[in-house]
């Protein structure tokens, strides 16, 4: 599903160019769960952002389902992301003025899904929040907010789910429940999972663990 070759990311800095990613080669099979681990600053989140099309590579290529995305313009990247990719961040990134239902429906409405609200409600029910449709983020606990974020990510039925420290803002018990839910949803949908985590036990739940160090696969 994903083929990465020679991926590099460099950014300018006062002291000269900083090499964040240095020639990453990585394949992700359809339906595979892969954990990416490594110390802070090793390039984990940058790799995720490039896969999502939210950052541009300095060199190399990324193919999603056979299509090269590194040369696409912003509109084409957005369309590809909308069609294929779900993202869950450590911060929940919910829209404060919208209800849980409206938050989940946003990507569906942008994609022109005719039954966006019904599908959003079903997605929230799947994460155990069918009774919280009309609540806004401030009325929800951290775990509930992350479950809304999961529902939003899965509602468009993505083939690739990118999760960046999804339990980082949650206590241990709530985080474990959220991850059980995430792995369950991936298993049911057949989505490929790329999980960034510092938690060795969480990484061990994936089929494969990729360790980054100083921008390279170690």
């Amino acid at each position: 599903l994903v083929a990465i070759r020679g991926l590099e990311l460099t950014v300018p800095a006062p002291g000269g160019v900083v090499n964040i990613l240095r020639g990453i080669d990585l394949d992700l099979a359809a339906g595979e769960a892969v954990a990416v681990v490594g110390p802070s600053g090793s390039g984990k989140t940058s790799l995720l952002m490039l896969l999502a099309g939210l950052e541009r590579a300095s060199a190399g290529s990324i193919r999603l389902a056979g299509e090269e995305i590194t040369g696409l313009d912003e509109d084409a990247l957005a369309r590809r992301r909308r069609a294929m990719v779900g993202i869950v961040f450590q911060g929940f990134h919910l829209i404060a003025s919208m209800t849980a239902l409206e938050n989940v429906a946003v990507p569906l409405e942008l994609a022109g899904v005719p039954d966006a609200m019904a599908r959003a409600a079903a997605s929230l029910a799947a994460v155990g929040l069918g009774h919280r449709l009309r609540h806004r983020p401030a009325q929800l606990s951290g775990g509930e907010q992350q479950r809304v974020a999961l529902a939003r990510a899965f509602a468009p039925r993505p083939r690739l789910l990118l999760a960046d420290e999804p339990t980082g803002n949650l206590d241990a018990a709530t985080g474990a429940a959220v991850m059980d839910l995430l792995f369950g949803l991936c298993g049911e949908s057949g989505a490929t999972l790329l999980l960034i985590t510092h938690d060795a036990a969480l990484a061990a739940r994936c089929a494969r663990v990729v360790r980054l160090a100083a921008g390279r696969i170690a």
Side-chain angles (χ1 to χ4, degrees):
L1 183 70
V2 178
I4 300 170
R5 296 291 180 273
L7 195 64
E8 297 184 10
L9 178 64
T10 60
V11 296
V17 170
V18 176
N19 297 301
I20 297 176
L21 294 176
R22 306 164 180 251
I24 300 292
D25 294 329
L26 181 65
D27 291 335
L28 304 177
E32 186 179 22
V34 176
V36 178
V37 302
S40 296
S42 60
K44 303 185 299 297
T45 295
S46 294
L47 176 61
L48 181 145
M49 296 293 278
L50 290 170
L51 272 174
L54 296 170
E55 294 279 0
R56 288 196 174 275
S58 304
S61 70
I62 300 171
R63 299 183 73 84
L64 290 182
E67 180 183 3
E68 173 63 52
I69 69 166
T70 47
L72 297 179
D73 63 26
E74 293 298 329
D75 288 344
L77 276 172
R79 287 192 295 271
R80 194 64 174 155
R81 183 165 55 244
R82 185 177 69 199
M84 278 199 62
V85 182
I87 310 173
V88 180
F89 294 103
Q90 178 175 336
F92 317 125
H93 293 294
L94 302 178
I95 301 169
S97 61
M98 289 187 173
T99 65
L101 181 64
E102 291 165 340
N103 267 281
V104 176
V106 163
L108 301 173
E109 291 174 330
L110 290 173
V113 174
D115 60 342
M117 285 298 181
R119 196 196 289 187
S123 191
L124 282 164
V127 300
L129 291 178
H131 62 300
R132 302 286 254 166
L133 303 184
R134 306 297 173 189
H135 291 74
R136 288 181 168 79
Q139 299 170 298
L140 302 172
S141 69
E144 287 172 331
Q145 289 185 63
Q146 193 61 300
R147 281 193 279 160
V148 173
L150 278 182
R152 180 181 58 189
F154 277 99
R157 299 167 187 164
R159 296 177 64 186
L160 174 64
L161 183 75
L162 305 174
D164 188 1
E165 297 283 1
T167 61
N169 284 336
L170 305 175
D171 63 71
T174 303
V178 165
M179 289 311 301
D180 286 345
L181 195 53
L182 186 149
F183 280 110
L185 290 168
C186 282
E188 291 168 12
S189 67
T192 298
L193 171 65
L194 184 78
L195 170 66
I196 292 176
T197 182
H198 283 100
D199 187 332
L202 202 51
R205 295 183 63 174
C206 294
R208 187 156 50 109
V209 178
V210 174
R211 183 174 300 278
L212 292 188
R216 294 187 173 95
I217 293 179

